[in-house]
Amino acid sequence: MLFTDRTDAGRQLAEALRHLERRDPVVLGLPRGGVPVAYEVARALGAPLDVIVVRKLGVPYRPELGFGAIGEGGARVISDEIVRHAGVREKDLEAVERAEEAELLRRAQTYREGRPRLPLEGRTVVVVDDGVATGATARAACQVVRAQGASRVVLAVPVASPDVAARLREDVDEVVCLSTPHLFSAVGEWYRDFSQTSDEEVVSLLARASTETATAEEVEVDAGGVPLAGDLVLPADAGAVVVFAHGSGSSRLSPRNRAVAGVLNRAGLGTLLFDLLTPGEEVYRANVFDIGLLAGRLADTTAWLRRRVSLPVGSFGASTGAAAALRAAAATDSGVGAVVSRGGRPDLAGADLSGVRAPTLLVVGGADTTVIDLNRQAQAALHCENRLEIVPGATHLFEEPGALDRVAELARDWFTTHLVRPAG
């Protein structure tokens, strides 16, 4: 397969990565040539773009032999076996690492122009390059990304040597490669235009991507004096913001809620995912099912958010989080403009259901028969505008192909209809 240039390669690669869209991925380009490819991937997936800056650590007297790699944030991957066999002394190892760390920080600062590194903890991360020949840099990058906390690492390249591509599958969760030609000698021969990418182009693409995608911020929510970790995403010109209440046994890092949040972000809706309980509170299982406690936390968090942003606020609840969302919305001063429940237990909100005034959408899987009955009972108790949507064939967690996508679409349409004020 021959590519016109890196832009063409990126657009074709993006089509092969569409299945990752609902995982709310982060896209990282390997500078310099991988960034133009990654930019097209990030645009197509509606994902944030950053660079993954790594430096190989070479044996002092054989620099071509790498004994490890380092990345930002203190990420460090060392091969003890190579260190031992090459006889690298501790002081030599430290000297190499110091020198490479200085260059790593210089390059990262140059490329980002002061913007912070995107957090990767618990995220699906797509590492993109313009091609793979030996695989050394790609392998180091993926190892560093894993060390930085990524839950799933995908390596995506337009072209690679077939044997190297096969070996790299051992280091990552998934390899997406469009072409592995048997007569492979260099990456550049598979591009019509393989002109060098400049530092200036990398800086420009990253800056452009940062203005095109939503701004993500790690926040500390003040929930009635209790500090809770949260992730706030506000697209440019956001029309509203949705607070997520996760279900039992989950957290703000829930991949299902993050997938839904990504769809909302691309529709111009802000999102706040936060932990309803502190780490100490999570130890006591009873707290996970204390709807009164969870509803209070959600109400305090909504009030905190309304003080921070002047936007209509909605609630998205999953499982027990749906009961907390509805109980919190029943308060006369809740400020909640719309509610969506995913596979929820709205029945656990009890008598508070009759006090909910916010338009409420209940979404349940067609194969989740017990929960369907509970939602129908809860729907009968609601006195507000409401609708029950059943996703055919879906089980409680909506793990079937396309099921979670349907949930996200329904939530997007409900919130944009009931929260976003018409222009003018």
Side-chain angles (χ1 to χ4, degrees):
M1 180 181 290
L2 187 64
F3 304 100
T4 303
D5 53 19
R6 292 182 178 88
T7 297
D8 172 49
R11 289 172 180 168
Q12 293 192 50
L13 187 60
E15 289 304 313
L17 292 165
R18 286 289 184 186
H19 64 287
L20 296 176
E21 192 170 8
R22 69 186 184 95
R23 288 183 174 270
D24 186 28
V26 174
V27 177
L28 303 181
L30 272 161
R32 294 185 293 257
V35 176
V37 182
Y39 174 76
E40 297 299 330
V41 170
R43 284 189 69 189
L45 300 184
L49 174 68
D50 201 354
V51 284
I52 171 66
V53 185
V54 298
R55 298 294 295 174
K56 186 179 77 171
L57 303 177
V59 173
Y61 52 88
R62 288 181 60 192
E64 74 283 356
L65 176 61
F67 63 82
I70 57 172
E72 297 171 88
R76 185 171 180 266
V77 180
I78 303 294
S79 171
D80 294 330
E81 183 179 359
I82 293 178
V83 169
R84 185 171 58 255
H85 284 299
V88 182
R89 295 177 299 178
E90 185 66 27
K91 67 175 185 178
D92 293 333
L93 187 154
E94 292 174 355
V96 171
E97 193 166 341
R98 278 196 305 270
E100 294 298 344
E101 184 175 13
E103 178 62 14
L104 181 146
L105 293 175
R106 184 194 70 79
R107 291 195 179 197
Q109 291 169 359
T110 297
Y111 293 143
R112 292 203 187 90
E113 295 187 313
R115 288 184 299 276
R117 175 173 63 87
L118 291 179
L120 305 182
E121 183 182 356
R123 303 294 296 272
T124 292
V125 178
V126 185
V127 177
V128 180
D129 204 354
D130 54 10
V132 170
T134 66
T137 303
R139 175 177 287 112
C142 292
Q143 290 173 338
V144 165
V145 164
R146 186 83 74 185
Q148 290 174 342
S151 63
R152 182 175 177 82
V153 181
V154 179
L155 176 64
V157 293
V159 61
S161 165
D163 57 329
V164 172
R167 288 201 304 271
L168 286 172
R169 295 181 192 280
E170 302 172 2
D171 299 305
V172 298
D173 297 293
E174 183 180 358
V175 173
V176 176
C177 181
L178 302 181
S179 180
T180 53
H182 292 291
L183 298 176
F184 183 97
S185 59
V187 171
E189 67 182 350
W190 301 99
Y191 287 80
R192 289 193 179 94
D193 177 4
F194 198 64
S195 53
Q196 187 175 14
T197 303
S198 65
D199 283 344
E200 291 73 17
E201 184 178 355
V202 171
V203 171
S204 174
L205 288 172
L206 290 176
R208 194 188 313 171
S210 70
T211 62
E212 291 174 347
T213 57
T215 57
E217 179 184 3
E218 293 183 359
V219 296
E220 185 176 87
V221 174
D222 178 8
V226 178
L228 300 171
D231 296 317
L232 177 64
V233 176
L234 289 175
D237 301 320
V241 61
V242 177
V243 183
F244 280 69
H246 57 75
S248 57
S250 189
S251 73
R252 75 185 193 282
L253 301 179
S254 161
R256 284 177 286 276
N257 280 350
R258 284 188 174 274
V260 174
V263 172
L264 300 187
N265 295 153
R266 290 189 283 278
L269 296 167
T271 54
L272 172 63
L273 288 89
F274 74 106
D275 291 332
L276 284 160
L277 300 171
T278 66
E281 291 170 336
E282 289 175 345
V283 174
Y284 300 96
R285 189 64 178 167
N287 288 332
V288 174
F289 298 96
D290 188 337
I291 304 303
L293 172 63
L294 303 182
R297 292 284 169 82
L298 184 57
D300 289 338
T301 298
T302 301
W304 172 87
L305 181 62
R306 291 177 67 200
R307 292 192 297 270
R308 187 183 178 101
V309 297
S310 300
L311 292 169
V313 177
S315 293
F316 182 99
S319 189
T320 52
L326 286 164
R327 181 169 289 186
T332 54
D333 60 347
S334 72
V336 175
V339 178
V340 173
S341 162
R342 171 181 66 82
R345 290 291 310 277
D347 56 296
L348 296 178
D352 289 313
L353 287 170
S354 62
V356 177
R357 295 293 175 264
T360 298
L361 173 66
L362 308 173
V363 186
V364 188
D368 199 6
T369 53
T370 300
V371 176
I372 289 176
D373 292 338
L374 294 172
N375 273 255
R376 283 180 174 146
Q377 294 170 25
Q379 185 184 23
L382 289 169
H383 296 164
C384 58
E385 178 186 348
N386 64 81
R387 194 169 87 226
L388 173 62
E389 283 280 351
I390 298 176
V391 179
T395 51
H396 186 62
L397 296 179
F398 297 89
E399 296 175 303
E400 295 71 25
L404 193 61
D405 295 334
R406 180 57 180 156
V407 173
E409 292 166 0
L410 289 166
R412 176 198 63 201
D413 294 345
W414 191 261
F415 286 129
T416 53
T417 298
H418 294 93
L419 286 183
V420 180
R421 299 168 183 141

